[in-house]
Every structure is written in structure tokens, then in C-alpha cells.
Amino acid sequence: MTRERICKLFNNVELSVSSYDTAWVAMVPSLNSLDSPYFPECLSWLMDNQLNDGSWGLLHHNLQFPLLKDTLSSTLASIVALRKWNVGEHHIKKEGLGNFYDWNMVMRYQMKNGSILNSPSATAAALIRHENADCLDYLTALIEKFGNAVPTIYPHDLYVRLYMVDQLERLGISRHFTVEIQIVLDEAYSSSNISNEDYIRLAEEDFNACQSIFRGEMKDLERWVVENNLDKINSRQKMAYCYFSSASILSSPELSDARITWAKGGFLNTIVDDFIDSEGSVDELENIIRCVEKYNLDPRIWNVNVDTDCCSEEVRIIFLAIKDLLSWIGEAAFKWQARDWLELLNSMLTEGKWARDRVVPTMNDYMENAYVGYTLGTFVLPALYFIGPKLSEDVVQSSEYRNLFEIMSTHGRLINDIRTFKRELKDGKLNNAVTLHKNYGKSGIDEEEIVKEIKILIDNLEKELMQLVLETKENIVPKACKDALDMRRERIRKLFSNVELSVSSYDTAWVAMVPSPNSPNSPCFPECLSWLMDNQLNDGSWGLLHHNLAFPLVKDALSSTLASIIALRKWNVGEHHIEKGLCFIESHLASATDKNEPSPFGFDIIFPHMIEHAKDLNIKFPLKQKDLSLMLHERELELRSSLNISNEDYIRLADEDFNACQSIFHVELKDLERWVVANNLDKIKSRQKMAYCYFSGASVLSSPELSDARITWAKGAFLVTISDDFFDVDGSVEELENLIQCVEKIWNVNADTDCCSKEVRIIFLALKDVVSWIGDKAFKWQGRDVTSHVVQCWLELMHSMLTEAKWARDGVVPTMNGYIENGYVSFTLGVFILPALYFIGPKLSEDIVQSSEYHNLFKLMSTHGRLINDIRTFKRELKDGKLNAVTLHKNYGKNGIEEEEIVSEIKILIDNLEKRLMQLVLETKEVMVPKACKDVFWKMLCVDNFFYATDDGFTGDDILHTMKKVFYEPVSMLK
């Protein structure tokens, strides 16, 4: 029944009443008589609930640490309310409201339910000064709901339910409430849609003003077309399209010159492209180039005679229009814009000769020419001179400027090609990114498969351009110019749904802590984790750039930093960021209890809560116990005053669930220990770590019904540990080669004669037992034989181990790349994680198992594990003469380079691997691997972070204490 009671709590959230808010409601006068209260029952409640010492508020006289601030504000508000109806209008003014606020402005924040930002006190204050039926309806409904008093905020139940979600997840029982949690999260999303008439009114006024400006500019541009005879050339007349693209990017009224430059350039290169594509010849294009080259020598000297130097009327019109445009742009920008036109014309000439001579270029040659030929350079780049920042010659010549342009243009070329290749193929245009693809025309390869590959390139270009646009270090191209180059429509759409207000590290961190309703061991909003890792400040903190402020908000930085650390530690990512954040907190923690420091709203309540949460995650702070006790006690009192939710049901269900799972784990672990003895694996000299192996599996696959998956995981992990230890110490290369030979013919081996040693025989027979067990069990889950895949996983691992053994034997030092390519396989995860995926529910076809997505998930997870292992073990392995990513680093051993610098570089690689894996796990488009399976890869990454948080947890005994608690110590949190 415990679960049912908790489910009911989601729909029946009880809030405690507030003396302070009740007093404000009591001040509201009657509509019929300003000298009498509208809610006399609130006055009655105040008189009935005054405490013995004369105050209102919490029952603070029974508390060890009274909340005096709450008492003072509640008492003062109550006195004012009572005195108001004794004295009248005179006391309303002493009240301090007067005309201090612009109440018409305040009413703009009225919500659909009639309240002012869901605050009864604010609504009551507004109603006192500004008669409003909706405010009155809101307060009336509150009194009907709560009796004679009101809460601090209403509706507040959503926040309480989110708090419940967090509590359930922290207690490890959220999987029992996936439906309820999803409803809460959906409601949280939908509740943010608040209509604001001021926004709409301003948007209408701004749009109409801009529309008027756009219409005037458009008419001027159409006249320019006629004046330059461009309407006489047989071409698409697309000035409206060209101007629309410019106005979409450069919409501010003051950017008129930029829009006109953009539109003229875009229209003119459309004319040139159409003319050369249809009626123009290669000779005419070469003629245009020669004229522009002459003009480029010195624009102030007229050294082109259009009547004799231009070979046709069309060439004459086009050249004069180019000249007019360059003159309009101005002398300062002329040099670079003439260069851009020449580059474009020469790229067109190259394409013209390819077509004329029936040349089929390579894909690389096509792309090198095509990104220029896509024409953006002749109108986007000139427009940058008119958007504000000064563009020096150094900026225009910089590699950053060129890279931004090249990525933008390549993106445009590819997205154009995948949309037009069929039409262009019909028109006889053979050169296109699709038709030039290496697989185009091959048997069994559909065009759509090639298009999908190119779409991946397009997505990567978008990400690359976004990274360049957002980069703030060591760049010289102004941000406003970079923003103009990021032309993706998707980005503009995102701006409408993600308003770029000043973001909050603190709130982002709390959102990052929310678990996924489908998988409580992974975050619901992993993008928030990525944001936190990307936005830590140089001093290790998160929050405002407090060191630049006249009044430093150190407490804001403390709460934001601690919340960010908790979020990262909760999901076991970003260890490097955590270390930096803890250093900042340690050096500023004294400010937390300094009453003279300005505090963000709720700091004294929320910060202690986070400290307690951090203690649960083994994060330690140099805070005196006395101060900590005071902070935690005050926080607990405040929670009790605002939330009327009993946690007993939560705790009872958590107790029951944990103890039930512990009982299952205990039985499974005993069976596994018997399996070790039955297969003589205890007789091989090695670390006997079955508890560790099973613990890692149970951490990822904790649900009781996943027994087969846990056993598969534990057996594989234990067996690979035995094998790895044996071949590291006593085993020879020849014995490893012998084991590989036996596994290759696993079903046709006589272990007594084919195995060259007792140890090889034991390992082989245990491996055969594991493969047989998995095959039998998996057939019931998958409906097919998976043993060949399991054997292949083991062979790949053994060959990687053999490679490392030969490197050691022959004294070979591989390259870093060679080491990592072999090392992610030899990290051993493949032989127990991949087989376990067959037992978690979804069907895994052969196509899924062989897919690039499946392989990439495995490679990212394993490479992460290899690197995090190496930075924790390199000193020990160096003594043992073993290879390691740290010692193989290109800078290792160089004069002046410390080991910790190399470790810091590798930690950055580790963080990047975490982000990439998270992206793959969250991807929902064009995926084959089921979400439940992808989650396992992410959870294993988190397990690695836990095991290697400070050292090699698998080899040492630091984790032993935790495992003993999980497996052998029942919990009883109810006293």
C-alpha cells in the first residue's frame, strides 16, 4: 500500500498556511465598503493564531534555532492588518505602500489565474491599490481552498511534485513511478507558456515598422535592377528572394546598407550564374574575369572600355553592374570584394570548363571549387562591413575569417546538392556532391543512402560552425560578424524557443540533476550537464562573473558552484571540473555564513540543503560542525513550514525496495561464487574480484527482473579479470596464442590434448561454459542464436591482448593512435557489456549489432574507460614497464612538461568523450540501437567514473566498504 499512498501524493499536495500572506489578504477592503475587510475570516484567523509571545509565524519558541526574520515580517504584517481596520485610511498610508510602485506596471505581471506571479501577498497588495476582478477571484478561490489562511505561493503543487520526483530518485525508487514522473515533467514543460500582451504589442509595432522600411528598400532595389539593365538578361529575376534572405539575417532597421549590399550581390551573382549556365560561353566568362581583373588594379582609374573590351552585350551589362556594386560598397572595402568576385568567377570558369570538356572531377576537387562557386562570398562578406564592428585587413585576411566562410559555404553547397541533384542530373549537369560520391552507382547502393551520409556531413559542418561562432578565446573576427555567418534556419528557430536571457548556472545545475523517467540512473536533461562543463569560469566557479562586479555576489557563485558540482558528481562526469569547483568553494566558504554578504533569494535555506546532498555524494567541505548544524536545522524548519508532505511513505518504500533487491543480489552473488569454484577459477593466481564484477553489473542493471543480464555481466567480467591477470604475470605469449586457437574452434576442442597448460585449460573451459550459458538463455530473450557474436567479442579482446603482449616482449613502443585503437578493445568491456545487452528487453538483430551506431557507442565508452584508467594507474604501470596513454603522450618526458599537465590534457579528452557518448545516447533520429541498450553504455561510463574517481578502484579496496553496505547491510531509515 505504500506505493499507492505515494502515487496519491502526486495529485493531493498539501501546502501549509502562511501568517504573512494571510495578513496581506486580510488587508483587502470590501467592494461595497472600503472601511470593512473583504475577507474578515482572515482577520479572525490572525486573532486566533497569535502565539503566546505575541508574534505570528512559526512556533519558534519551541525551536532551538528560531527563524526570527520570518517571525518579524509575519508579525509586522499581521499588526498592520489588524490596525488597518481599527484606524482606517490613515494607517493604510503608514503602511508604506502609497504610490511607491507603479501599479499599472505591476498588473502587467498578472497571470491567467488572476494572480500576480502566483503570489497571494503580491496579488493582495495589487488589489488594495488597483481594483481588479481577476485578482479578487484568485484570492477568493484560495480562501475557499485553504479555509481562513493562504500559502506563500499558489499554485505551488508543481514545485512540490518536482521535489517529490527528486526525493524518489535520490532514494532509488523512482522506477516504480515512471508514469507519474512523466506527467509531472510534462506539466513542468507546459506551465512555462505564459502569454504576455506587452511582448505581443511590441512585436507587432516592431514588425510593422521594419516592414515599412523593408518595403522602401525593396522598391529601391527593383529600380537598381532596371537602371543597370539586369532585367534584360535571360535569368531568374529573384531580387525579392535575395532581399528576403538578407532581411532574415540583418533585420535591425539601422542595418540598411548591409541588407542592400547583400541583396545586390546575391541578385547579381544569380544573374551571372544563370547566364553562364544557359546561354553564356566559357569565352564570355573569361572575358568578364579579364575586365574585373583590369578594374581591380586601381578602381579610381577607368581602365576598361566596355564598348571594346566586352565581347557581348550581356558581358557589358554584367561588368558594369559589378563595377557599380563595388563602387557603392566603397573604396575601403573594394580590394577584398573585388577579390571575392574574381574568386567566384574563376570557380564558375572551372565548372564551365568541366562541363564543356566533360571532365568528372574528384569529390575533393569538386568541393574545393564548389564552396566558392556557391556564391555566398560576393554578398555575405561585403555585408559584414556594414553591421557595426571595424574590419581591419588583418581580420579579413585571417584564417578564422576564411574558415568561417569556408564552412558556411560548404554547408550551403552540400545542402543545395542533396535537394537539386535529381533535377541537375536530368539537365545534364553531372557534377554534384551526390553523383560524385564514391558509392554512387554501385550495385545495391541507393541514392538515399548517399544522401543520408551527406546529411551527416552537413550536421557536422553546422556543429563546427557553431563552435567557431561561439569561440571567445584567441579570435579576431567580431561576434556580430560571426553571428551573421551562422545562417542556419534551425538556429533561428531555436532562438524563438530558447530565449537568450541571462542563463542561470544554479538553475541549470538543478535541472541537470533530474533523472530520466525511463532510466533513473541517467539524466533527463543531459544537455544541461554539457552546458555546465562548457561554462565553468577560469577560477573554477559557476555563476555570474563575480570578480568583475562592483558588489561581488560571492554567495551566488557559491550556490551555483556547489549545485554544479553536485550535478556533475551525481552522474559521475566532469571530474576535472569538479576538482576546480571544490578549490573555489574552499577558498570562499567563509562567505556562506557571513551575514554582511549580500544573499541571493533563498540562499540561507537552499545552500544548507545542497551541503547535505553533497555529503551524501562524499563531497567534503571545511565547514565547522556548529555552523553546519545551524544551517541544516534552519533549512529543515523552513522546509517543514512550506511543505506538508510526509516522507515516511517514501522512506518505507525505499527501505522495502532496497532490502528486496539486496536479498536478490545476495543470492546471485553466492551462486556466482559457487560458479567460480566449480570452474576451478579460484586455482589461478589472480585477483579474486567477483564481488567487484557483480557490483558493477548490479549498479547498472539493478531491477530485479534483470538477473540474467547481471549474471552474464559478472561472469564475463570475472573471467576476463582472471585471464588478464594470468597473461600479465605468469602466462606466456604462446599460451595466449594457444587459447585463441582453442576459442576459434570452440566447439571442436579436446581440452585435455589441445590446451597447452593447466591454466589455459581452466580458462578455456570456463569461457566455453559462459558462452553456452549465454547462448541458451539469450535464445529465450532474442529468439535467435547469439553465440557467434559472443565468441567474436572474446576473440577481438584476446587478439588485442596478444598485440600488447608482443609489444612488451619485443620492446615495441606504439604510437598514441595505435595504442588507443588497440587499447579500447583491450580494456575488456566488450566481453561482458555487449552480451548483457541481449537480456535487458529489446530485440537486437544482427543488423543492429553490426551497425556503426552500435560500434561507436562501444568505442566511445571503452576509450573513455581506457583513458580514465590510464591517468589513475600510469605511475604504477611505469614501474612495471607497461605502456600507458600518459607515458605515450607526445609531450611526456619533455623538458619543463609536468606529468600533471599531460594528465590535465587527457582529462579534457575524457570530458569530450563523455559529451560525445551523451549525444549518441540522446539521439533519436535515424537510430537503430534501442534506448534501453544505449543507456547501458552511458551507465557503464558512470561506473568507470566511480571506480576511478581517485585511483584504480578495481585493484584497491576503497570501494569494498560501499559494496559491503550494498550486499550485506539491510537499511531501516524509519526510526
Side-chain angles (χ1 to χ4, degrees):
M1 297 299 292
T2 304
R3 183 186 182 280
E4 285 70 21
R5 286 197 298 274
I6 296 176
C7 287
K8 289 180 181 178
L9 285 177
F10 278 98
N11 298 316
N12 298 293
V13 177
E14 295 183 8
L15 304 176
S16 58
V17 297
S18 161
S19 301
Y20 175 81
D21 289 83
T22 301
W24 274 100
V25 176
M27 296 182 212
V28 176
S30 169
L31 296 179
N32 300 320
S33 174
L34 297 178
D35 293 327
S36 60
Y38 193 94
F39 300 106
E41 57 268 49
C42 289
L43 282 176
S44 298
W45 186 93
L46 290 173
M47 289 185 284
D48 290 342
N49 286 276
Q50 187 177 30
L51 302 179
N52 292 334
D53 61 1
S55 68
W56 282 266
L58 298 175
L59 297 171
H60 56 272
H61 54 277
N62 293 328
L63 302 178
Q64 183 180 358
F65 303 106
L67 296 179
L68 296 179
K69 292 179 182 178
D70 174 86
T71 299
L72 286 172
S73 59
S74 297
T75 301
L76 180 57
S78 299
I79 290 172
V80 171
L82 295 173
R83 184 68 58 81
K84 173 185 176 75
W85 302 116
N86 285 334
V87 178
E89 186 63 25
H90 172 67
H91 289 276
I92 295 177
K93 294 177 181 177
K94 291 175 63 180
E95 197 176 74
L97 283 173
N99 292 314
F100 183 77
Y101 295 106
D102 178 351
W103 290 102
N104 289 323
M105 182 276 292
V106 170
M107 294 306 296
R108 294 179 182 177
Y109 297 98
Q110 187 173 33
M111 304 183 75
K112 290 180 178 179
N113 61 12
S115 73
I116 306 299
L117 297 177
N118 287 336
S119 167
S121 56
T123 307
L127 186 57
I128 290 170
R129 305 298 302 178
H130 191 291
E131 185 176 319
N132 183 280
D134 290 335
C135 284
L136 182 60
D137 289 344
Y138 167 77
L139 294 175
T140 302
L142 249 61
I143 296 301
E144 291 175 356
K145 181 175 180 65
F146 293 97
N148 299 333
V150 295
T152 302
I153 187 170
Y154 184 83
H156 189 249
D157 53 336
L158 174 59
Y159 308 118
V160 177
R161 289 200 294 271
L162 285 172
Y163 172 79
M164 293 168 61
V165 170
D166 180 64
Q167 293 296 304
L168 292 171
E169 189 280 328
R170 290 180 63 195
L171 290 168
I173 53 176
S174 58
R175 71 175 185 275
H176 297 290
F177 306 97
T178 54
V179 174
E180 292 81 5
I181 289 173
Q182 187 61 52
I183 292 171
V184 172
L185 294 178
D186 290 343
E187 185 178 348
Y189 279 123
S190 62
S191 67
S192 62
N193 295 325
I194 301 173
S195 174
N196 190 304
E197 291 184 1
D198 284 339
Y199 296 164
I200 297 171
R201 187 175 294 110
L202 178 60
E204 288 177 351
E205 293 170 357
D206 183 78
F207 180 85
N208 292 333
C210 289
Q211 188 181 66
S212 177
I213 294 170
F214 295 165
R215 193 180 295 119
E217 291 176 357
M218 186 63 197
K219 285 186 177 295
D220 291 340
L221 287 166
E222 288 169 345
R223 281 194 293 269
W224 176 81
V225 170
V226 175
E227 289 168 0
N228 283 273
N229 297 308
L230 292 170
D231 57 328
K232 296 178 179 177
I233 292 183
N234 186 17
S235 167
R236 294 168 294 172
Q237 297 294 312
K238 295 287 186 178
M239 177 55 83
Y241 287 71
C242 298
Y243 181 74
F244 176 76
S245 67
S246 72
S248 300
I249 301 294
L250 307 163
S251 59
S252 296
E254 68 271 18
L255 298 181
S256 176
D257 287 347
R259 286 191 295 274
I260 292 171
T261 298
W262 182 305
K264 285 183 176 179
F267 180 82
L268 185 51
N269 68 47
T270 301
I271 294 289
V272 175
D273 188 57
D274 285 358
F275 170 66
I276 299 302
D277 263 358
S278 55
E279 300 175 354
S281 65
V282 170
D283 294 336
E284 288 175 300
L285 181 53
E286 289 175 328
N287 182 218
I288 295 174
I289 292 173
R290 286 195 298 272
C291 291
V292 175
E293 285 174 338
K294 279 187 180 182
Y295 184 57
N296 184 37
L297 295 174
D298 189 345
R300 294 167 295 184
I301 301 174
W302 182 252
N303 49 15
V304 176
N305 186 327
V306 294
D307 294 325
T308 58
D309 291 345
C310 296
C311 66
S312 69
E313 179 63 14
E314 288 81 3
V315 169
R316 179 179 178 276
I317 292 172
I318 290 171
F319 170 70
L320 287 175
I322 292 174
K323 176 180 176 294
D324 178 80
L325 176 58
L326 295 177
S327 300
W328 189 87
I329 292 172
E331 184 175 334
F334 171 84
K335 177 180 178 181
W336 301 109
Q337 305 324 311
R339 179 201 68 181
D340 293 327
W341 270 100
L342 284 171
E343 287 184 355
L344 170 61
L345 293 169
N346 277 302
S347 74
M348 288 180 169
L349 179 61
T350 298
E351 291 182 356
K353 289 182 176 179
W354 283 344
R356 181 193 65 188
D357 301 332
R358 308 295 289 177
V359 171
V360 179
T362 65
M363 184 64 161
N364 285 342
D365 288 342
Y366 171 76
M367 291 308 304
E368 277 297 309
N369 186 73
Y371 86 84
V372 178
Y374 188 57
T375 78
L376 298 182
T378 57
F379 59 93
V380 176
L381 300 184
L384 298 182
Y385 286 98
F386 301 98
I387 65 174
K390 301 286 187 183
L391 291 182
S392 66
E393 186 167 321
D394 288 342
V395 172
V396 176
Q397 290 194 73
S398 69
S399 59
E400 180 190 7
Y401 183 91
R402 195 67 184 173
N403 287 343
L404 286 161
F405 168 66
E406 183 172 343
I407 296 170
M408 171 192 71
S409 298
T410 304
H411 171 272
R413 168 53 64 197
L414 290 177
I415 205 167
N416 171 283
D417 284 6
I418 63 174
R419 301 301 185 199
T420 65
F421 77 95
K422 292 183 178 179
R423 186 191 70 222
E424 291 190 348
L425 199 57
K426 290 180 181 178
D427 294 341
K429 296 178 182 178
L430 302 177
N431 297 332
N432 182 290
V434 178
T435 55
L436 289 173
H437 190 277
K438 62 182 180 181
N439 291 328
Y440 186 79
K442 286 188 177 179
S443 177
I445 304 295
D446 292 333
E447 291 174 344
E448 290 307 311
E449 292 180 52
I450 295 173
V451 169
K452 283 183 180 179
E453 285 192 31
I454 296 176
K455 283 182 177 179
I456 294 173
L457 293 178
I458 291 170
D459 286 344
N460 290 336
L461 287 166
E462 291 180 357
K463 293 173 185 175
E464 190 176 355
L465 181 60
M466 178 65 81
Q467 287 174 342
L468 277 179
V469 169
L470 295 177
E471 181 58 54
T472 58
K473 297 178 181 178
E474 299 179 354
N475 53 32
I476 63 175
V477 179
K479 182 68 165 60
C481 297
K482 293 199 291 184
D483 285 344
L485 292 173
D486 190 358
M487 297 169 61
R488 294 177 300 143
R489 295 181 182 179
E490 190 61 30
R491 180 171 180 269
I492 296 172
R493 292 192 189 102
K494 288 179 181 178
L495 289 177
F496 283 101
S497 58
N498 299 303
V499 181
E500 292 188 5
L501 303 175
S502 296
V503 295
S504 164
S505 304
Y506 173 81
D507 292 88
T508 302
W510 278 100
V511 173
M513 295 182 214
V514 176
S516 168
N518 299 321
S519 177
N521 293 321
S522 59
C524 187
F525 304 104
E527 58 268 39
C528 293
L529 284 176
S530 297
W531 187 93
L532 291 175
M533 289 189 280
D534 290 340
N535 287 275
Q536 189 176 28
L537 301 180
N538 292 334
D539 61 0
S541 70
W542 282 268
L544 300 174
L545 294 171
H546 46 274
H547 49 277
N548 293 328
L549 299 176
F551 303 99
L553 296 178
V554 179
K555 289 186 178 179
D556 174 85
L558 283 171
S559 58
S560 296
T561 301
L562 181 52
S564 300
I565 288 172
I566 290 172
L568 296 175
R569 178 60 61 83
K570 177 185 177 77
W571 304 115
N572 286 319
V573 296
E575 190 64 31
H576 174 62
H577 300 284
I578 292 174
E579 292 171 4
K580 288 178 64 179
L582 287 174
C583 289
F584 172 83
I585 290 179
E586 184 174 355
S587 60
H588 293 82
L589 194 55
S591 299
T593 53
D594 185 351
K595 297 301 181 183
N596 295 320
E597 285 277 0
S599 298
F601 179 77
F603 176 85
D604 294 332
I605 303 302
I606 299 168
F607 191 69
H609 171 77
M610 290 193 293
I611 290 178
E612 187 180 55
H613 195 2
K615 287 175 64 181
D616 294 341
L617 297 173
N618 296 319
I619 301 173
K620 299 178 181 179
F621 304 96
L623 185 65
K624 292 181 180 179
Q625 187 59 40
K626 178 183 176 182
D627 294 331
L628 179 58
S629 298
L630 173 61
M631 294 170 70
L632 291 175
H633 194 77
E634 289 187 345
R635 186 269 303 175
E636 192 63 31
L637 294 175
E638 182 67 13
L639 283 176
R640 289 179 184 176
S641 71
S642 60
L643 299 176
N644 187 23
I645 296 177
S646 168
N647 279 328
E648 288 192 5
D649 282 335
Y650 291 0
I651 296 171
R652 183 173 291 107
L653 180 58
D655 277 358
E656 295 169 357
D657 186 78
F658 180 87
N659 293 330
C661 288
Q662 187 182 69
S663 177
I664 294 170
F665 295 164
H666 201 137
V667 171
E668 290 177 357
L669 185 54
K670 282 189 174 294
D671 289 343
L672 288 165
E673 288 169 342
R674 283 193 289 269
W675 174 82
V676 170
V677 175
N679 283 273
N680 298 308
L681 292 170
D682 58 325
K683 295 179 181 178
I684 292 183
K685 186 179 178 181
S686 167
R687 295 168 293 173
Q688 297 293 313
K689 295 285 186 177
M690 176 54 85
Y692 286 70
C693 297
Y694 181 74
F695 176 72
S696 66
S699 299
V700 173
L701 307 163
S702 59
S703 295
E705 68 273 12
L706 299 181
S707 176
D708 288 347
R710 286 191 295 275
I711 292 171
T712 297
W713 183 301
K715 284 183 177 181
F718 181 81
L719 183 53
V720 80
T721 303
I722 294 290
S723 304
D724 188 51
D725 286 356
F726 172 66
F727 290 113
D728 260 358
V729 182
D730 297 325
S732 65
V733 170
E734 289 72 24
E735 285 176 300
L736 179 53
E737 289 176 329
N738 178 228
L739 180 60
I740 292 173
Q741 292 164 1
C742 290
V743 175
E744 286 175 337
K745 53 179 183 177
I746 188 168
W747 309 119
N748 300 300
V749 172
N750 184 329
D752 295 328
T753 58
D754 292 345
C755 296
C756 67
S757 69
K758 179 182 69 175
E759 290 79 8
V760 170
R761 180 180 181 277
I762 290 173
I763 293 171
F764 170 73
L765 289 176
L767 173 56
K768 184 178 179 182
D769 178 80
V770 168
V771 173
S772 299
W773 188 91
I774 292 173
D776 291 342
K777 292 285 185 180
F779 193 86
K780 299 174 183 177
W781 286 75
Q782 298 292 324
R784 68 184 186 90
D785 185 5
V786 303
T787 53
S788 61
H789 177 232
V790 178
V791 171
Q792 185 62 33
C793 292
W794 277 96
L795 286 173
E796 288 177 359
L797 170 63
M798 290 175 180
H799 279 292
S800 72
M801 294 169 69
L802 180 61
T803 297
E804 291 182 352
K806 289 182 177 179
W807 283 344
R809 182 193 65 187
D810 301 336
V812 173
V813 179
T815 65
M816 181 66 159
N817 286 341
Y819 170 78
I820 293 298
E821 277 299 308
N822 189 74
Y824 84 84
V825 179
S826 68
F827 190 59
T828 77
L829 300 183
V831 296
F832 56 92
I833 290 178
L834 301 185
L837 297 180
Y838 288 117
F839 300 99
I840 65 174
K843 299 287 187 182
L844 293 179
S845 67
E846 186 68 17
D847 288 341
I848 293 175
V849 172
Q850 298 298 328
S851 69
S852 59
E853 179 191 3
Y854 183 91
H855 177 72
N856 288 339
L857 287 161
F858 170 65
K859 185 173 182 179
L860 288 171
M861 171 194 68
S862 297
T863 306
H864 170 275
R866 167 54 64 199
L867 290 178
I868 202 170
N869 170 284
D870 283 7
I871 63 174
R872 300 303 185 198
T873 63
F874 75 94
K875 291 183 179 179
R876 185 189 74 222
E877 292 190 341
L878 187 60
K879 292 179 182 178
D880 295 340
K882 295 180 180 178
L883 298 171
N884 184 286
V886 176
T887 55
L888 287 173
H889 191 278
K890 61 182 179 181
N891 291 327
Y892 187 79
K894 286 188 178 180
N895 188 33
I897 304 294
E898 299 289 336
E899 289 176 344
E900 287 309 311
E901 293 180 52
I902 295 173
V903 170
S904 293
E905 284 191 35
I906 295 176
K907 283 182 177 179
I908 293 172
L909 293 177
I910 290 170
D911 284 349
N912 289 334
L913 287 166
E914 291 179 357
K915 293 175 187 175
R916 289 170 61 192
L917 181 60
M918 188 179 290
Q919 288 173 341
L920 271 183
V921 170
L922 292 173
E923 182 60 60
T924 57
K925 296 179 180 178
E926 300 178 359
V927 296
M928 297 179 66
V929 182
K931 182 66 165 61
C933 297
K934 294 199 291 184
D935 285 343
V936 172
F937 290 104
W938 174 254
K939 291 173 188 175
M940 182 61 220
L941 179 145
C942 297
V943 168
D944 280 340
N945 283 339
F946 174 71
F947 268 87
Y948 296 101
T950 55
D951 57 13
D952 180 4
F954 192 79
T955 299
D957 294 326
D958 291 348
I959 298 176
L960 191 59
H961 179 66
T962 303
M963 290 193 303
K964 286 181 177 178
K965 282 189 172 184
V966 171
F967 292 143
Y968 302 112
E969 296 181 15
V971 298
S972 180
M973 293 181 279
L974 288 174
K975 303 299 183 183

